Amino acid sequence: VLSGCGVYDGTEIHEASAVLVHLSRGGAEVHMYAPDVPQMHVIDHSKGQPAEAESRNVLVESARIARGKIASLAELTTADHDAVIFPGGFGAAKNLSTFAVDGKDCKVNREVERVLKDFHKAGKPIGLCCISPVLAAKVLSGAEVTVGHEEEEGGKWPYAGTAGAIKELGAKHCVKEVTISFPAHVDMKNKVVTTPAFMCETALHHIFDGIGAMVKNVLKLTGK
Protein backbone atom coordinates (compact mmCIF):
# COMPACT_ATOMS: atom_id res chain seq x y z
CA VAL A 1 0.00 0.00 0.00
CA LEU A 2 1.59 3.24 -1.18
CA SER A 3 1.04 6.83 -0.02
CA GLY A 4 2.41 8.90 -2.88
CA CYS A 5 5.90 9.29 -4.33
CA GLY A 6 8.67 10.96 -2.34
CA VAL A 7 9.82 10.80 1.26
CA TYR A 8 8.49 14.17 2.46
CA ASP A 9 4.97 13.98 1.03
CA GLY A 10 4.48 10.35 0.01
CA THR A 11 6.07 6.91 0.01
CA GLU A 12 9.80 6.63 0.72
CA ILE A 13 10.95 5.34 -2.65
CA HIS A 14 13.98 3.35 -1.43
CA GLU A 15 11.77 1.56 1.09
CA ALA A 16 9.13 0.73 -1.49
CA SER A 17 11.79 -0.56 -3.86
CA ALA A 18 13.38 -2.67 -1.12
CA VAL A 19 10.01 -4.19 -0.21
CA LEU A 20 9.37 -5.05 -3.87
CA VAL A 21 12.82 -6.58 -4.37
CA HIS A 22 12.52 -8.77 -1.28
CA LEU A 23 8.97 -9.82 -2.19
CA SER A 24 10.19 -10.75 -5.66
CA ARG A 25 13.08 -12.73 -4.19
CA GLY A 26 10.60 -14.48 -1.89
CA GLY A 27 8.48 -15.57 -4.84
CA ALA A 28 5.47 -13.43 -3.94
CA GLU A 29 2.91 -12.17 -6.42
CA VAL A 30 2.47 -8.46 -5.74
CA HIS A 31 -0.42 -6.07 -6.27
CA MET A 32 -0.08 -2.39 -5.42
CA TYR A 33 -2.72 -0.03 -4.10
CA ALA A 34 -3.08 3.54 -2.88
CA PRO A 35 -6.00 5.65 -1.69
CA ASP A 36 -7.57 7.83 -4.38
CA VAL A 37 -7.38 11.05 -2.36
CA PRO A 38 -5.54 14.40 -2.55
CA GLN A 39 -2.17 14.65 -0.82
CA MET A 40 -2.02 16.71 2.36
CA HIS A 41 0.40 18.99 0.50
CA VAL A 42 3.21 18.86 -2.05
CA ILE A 43 6.86 19.20 -1.03
CA ASP A 44 9.60 20.51 -3.32
CA HIS A 45 12.17 17.85 -2.45
CA SER A 46 15.07 19.98 -3.73
CA LYS A 47 14.26 22.59 -1.08
CA GLY A 48 12.40 20.58 1.55
CA GLN A 49 9.62 23.16 1.49
CA PRO A 50 5.94 23.07 0.51
CA ALA A 51 5.18 23.93 -3.11
CA GLU A 52 2.49 26.54 -2.75
CA ALA A 53 -0.64 26.34 -4.91
CA GLU A 54 0.25 22.84 -6.13
CA SER A 55 -1.85 19.74 -5.50
CA ARG A 56 -1.39 16.07 -6.35
CA ASN A 57 -3.37 12.86 -6.03
CA VAL A 58 -1.98 10.03 -3.87
CA LEU A 59 -3.02 7.26 -6.28
CA VAL A 60 -1.67 9.08 -9.33
CA GLU A 61 1.66 9.80 -7.65
CA SER A 62 1.96 6.24 -6.30
CA ALA A 63 1.57 4.97 -9.86
CA ARG A 64 5.06 6.34 -10.52
CA ILE A 65 6.53 3.73 -8.18
CA ALA A 66 4.15 1.01 -9.35
CA ARG A 67 5.10 1.63 -12.99
CA GLY A 68 1.42 2.23 -13.66
CA LYS A 69 0.22 -1.10 -12.27
CA ILE A 70 -1.82 0.11 -9.32
CA ALA A 71 -5.42 0.21 -8.16
CA SER A 72 -7.47 2.22 -5.69
CA LEU A 73 -7.14 1.02 -2.11
CA ALA A 74 -10.93 0.61 -2.08
CA GLU A 75 -10.41 -2.46 -4.29
CA LEU A 76 -8.06 -4.24 -1.86
CA THR A 77 -9.69 -7.24 -0.17
CA THR A 78 -8.33 -9.85 2.22
CA ALA A 79 -9.87 -12.64 0.16
CA ASP A 80 -7.47 -11.96 -2.71
CA HIS A 81 -4.29 -11.53 -0.66
CA ASP A 82 -2.21 -13.42 1.89
CA ALA A 83 -0.62 -10.35 3.52
CA VAL A 84 -0.36 -6.58 3.29
CA ILE A 85 2.71 -4.35 3.60
CA PHE A 86 2.96 -0.58 4.14
CA PRO A 87 6.30 1.11 3.30
CA GLY A 88 7.14 4.30 5.16
CA GLY A 89 7.70 7.88 4.12
CA PHE A 90 5.86 10.92 5.45
CA GLY A 91 2.92 10.00 3.22
CA ALA A 92 1.96 7.41 5.84
CA ALA A 93 1.71 10.21 8.40
CA LYS A 94 0.22 12.81 6.04
CA ASN A 95 -1.90 10.98 3.46
CA LEU A 96 -2.74 7.63 5.07
CA SER A 97 -3.31 9.35 8.42
CA THR A 98 -3.06 12.75 10.08
CA PHE A 99 -0.28 11.65 12.44
CA ALA A 100 2.17 14.32 11.15
CA VAL A 101 -0.26 17.03 12.31
CA ASP A 102 -2.25 15.46 15.13
CA GLY A 103 0.12 12.94 16.72
CA LYS A 104 -1.65 10.58 19.12
CA ASP A 105 -4.99 12.23 18.26
CA CYS A 106 -4.60 11.40 14.59
CA LYS A 107 -7.24 9.97 12.31
CA VAL A 108 -6.51 7.16 9.85
CA ASN A 109 -7.81 7.14 6.29
CA ARG A 110 -11.04 5.15 6.18
CA GLU A 111 -9.79 2.59 3.64
CA VAL A 112 -6.45 2.18 5.42
CA GLU A 113 -8.30 1.48 8.68
CA ARG A 114 -10.58 -1.00 6.92
CA VAL A 115 -7.65 -2.87 5.37
CA LEU A 116 -5.75 -3.09 8.65
CA LYS A 117 -8.79 -4.31 10.56
CA ASP A 118 -9.79 -6.79 7.85
CA PHE A 119 -6.34 -8.39 7.63
CA HIS A 120 -6.08 -8.50 11.41
CA LYS A 121 -9.50 -10.11 11.74
CA ALA A 122 -8.60 -12.65 9.05
CA GLY A 123 -5.38 -13.56 10.87
CA LYS A 124 -3.27 -12.49 7.90
CA PRO A 125 0.12 -10.80 8.44
CA ILE A 126 0.69 -7.07 8.23
CA GLY A 127 4.14 -5.60 7.54
CA LEU A 128 5.06 -1.97 8.21
CA CYS A 129 8.33 -0.03 8.20
CA CYS A 130 9.68 3.38 9.15
CA ILE A 131 6.85 5.67 10.32
CA SER A 132 3.99 3.45 9.07
CA PRO A 133 3.81 1.35 12.29
CA VAL A 134 1.87 4.29 13.78
CA LEU A 135 -1.03 3.14 11.61
CA ALA A 136 -1.16 -0.23 13.36
CA ALA A 137 -0.62 1.44 16.74
CA LYS A 138 -3.70 3.60 16.15
CA VAL A 139 -5.99 0.99 14.59
CA LEU A 140 -5.02 -2.29 16.28
CA SER A 141 -5.43 -2.00 20.02
CA GLY A 142 -2.49 -3.40 21.99
CA ALA A 143 -0.31 -4.15 18.97
CA GLU A 144 3.46 -4.43 19.42
CA VAL A 145 5.54 -2.39 16.98
CA THR A 146 8.95 -0.80 16.59
CA VAL A 147 10.15 2.46 15.11
CA GLY A 148 13.67 1.83 16.43
CA HIS A 149 15.04 3.56 19.52
CA GLU A 150 13.34 5.84 22.04
CA GLU A 151 16.18 8.39 22.36
CA GLU A 152 17.73 10.49 19.59
CA GLU A 153 21.27 9.44 20.54
CA GLY A 154 23.00 12.42 18.98
CA GLY A 155 20.90 12.46 15.85
CA LYS A 156 21.16 8.77 14.95
CA TRP A 157 17.45 8.37 15.69
CA PRO A 158 16.00 11.79 14.72
CA TYR A 159 12.37 10.67 14.98
CA ALA A 160 12.72 8.88 18.34
CA GLY A 161 9.83 10.88 19.77
CA THR A 162 7.49 8.75 17.66
CA ALA A 163 7.97 5.90 20.15
CA GLY A 164 6.32 8.00 22.86
CA ALA A 165 3.34 8.74 20.64
CA ILE A 166 2.98 5.03 19.90
CA LYS A 167 2.74 4.33 23.62
CA GLU A 168 0.15 7.08 24.01
CA LEU A 169 -1.89 5.36 21.29
CA GLY A 170 -2.07 2.30 23.50
CA ALA A 171 0.41 0.15 21.60
CA LYS A 172 3.59 -1.41 22.95
CA HIS A 173 6.84 -0.03 21.56
CA CYS A 174 9.76 -2.45 21.29
CA VAL A 175 13.27 -1.04 20.89
CA LYS A 176 14.97 -2.53 17.84
CA GLU A 177 18.05 -1.92 15.73
CA VAL A 178 17.89 -1.24 12.02
CA THR A 179 20.77 -3.63 11.22
CA ILE A 180 20.43 -7.21 10.02
CA SER A 181 21.24 -8.66 13.46
CA PHE A 182 18.06 -7.31 15.13
CA PRO A 183 16.12 -5.64 12.35
CA ALA A 184 12.45 -6.50 12.80
CA HIS A 185 9.92 -7.03 15.54
CA VAL A 186 7.35 -9.78 15.14
CA ASP A 187 4.13 -9.46 17.13
CA MET A 188 3.05 -13.09 16.87
CA LYS A 189 -0.33 -12.53 18.53
CA ASN A 190 -1.41 -9.86 16.04
CA LYS A 191 0.80 -11.01 13.13
CA VAL A 192 2.26 -7.53 12.81
CA VAL A 193 5.88 -7.23 11.62
CA THR A 194 7.72 -3.90 11.85
CA THR A 195 11.23 -2.56 11.18
CA PRO A 196 12.73 0.96 11.69
CA ALA A 197 14.18 1.55 8.21
CA PHE A 198 14.82 5.30 7.66
CA MET A 199 13.84 6.17 11.21
CA CYS A 200 17.58 5.62 11.67
CA GLU A 201 20.39 7.64 10.10
CA THR A 202 22.49 4.79 8.75
CA ALA A 203 23.84 3.24 5.56
CA LEU A 204 21.30 2.34 2.89
CA HIS A 205 22.27 -1.34 2.82
CA HIS A 206 21.39 -1.70 6.51
CA ILE A 207 17.92 -0.34 5.79
CA PHE A 208 17.59 -2.63 2.76
CA ASP A 209 18.56 -5.67 4.86
CA GLY A 210 16.23 -4.70 7.70
CA ILE A 211 13.31 -4.40 5.31
CA GLY A 212 14.29 -7.79 3.93
CA ALA A 213 13.94 -9.28 7.41
CA MET A 214 10.49 -7.72 7.74
CA VAL A 215 9.38 -9.09 4.38
CA LYS A 216 10.81 -12.53 5.14
CA ASN A 217 8.87 -12.70 8.41
CA VAL A 218 5.65 -11.52 6.75
CA LEU A 219 5.98 -14.23 4.10
CA LYS A 220 6.76 -16.82 6.79
CA LEU A 221 3.61 -15.88 8.70
CA THR A 222 1.47 -16.55 5.63
CA GLY A 223 2.34 -20.24 6.03
CA LYS A 224 2.96 -20.59 2.31
Side-chain angles (χ1 to χ4, degrees), residues 35-111:
D36 188 1
V37 296
Q39 291 185 185
M40 174 185 144
H41 60 188
V42 178
I43 297 293
D44 179 340
H45 280 63
S46 69
K47 299 176 181 177
Q49 299 175 351
E52 302 297 339
E54 185 174 348
S55 63
R56 298 186 185 185
N57 177 278
V58 175
L59 177 60
V60 173
E61 289 302 295
S62 298
R64 295 175 180 270
I65 296 173
R67 298 172 63 87
K69 297 180 180 180
I70 195 167
S72 170
L73 187 59
E75 299 178 31
L76 174 54
T77 66
T78 56
D80 296 329
H81 301 83
D82 298 309
V84 64
I85 293 179
F86 291 79
F90 278 95
K94 293 179 176 180
N95 304 327
L96 303 188
S97 73
T98 64
F99 182 79
V101 176
D102 300 323
K104 66 179 180 62
D105 299 317
C106 68
K107 295 181 180 180
V108 175
N109 172 276
R110 180 181 58 194
E111 292 298 334

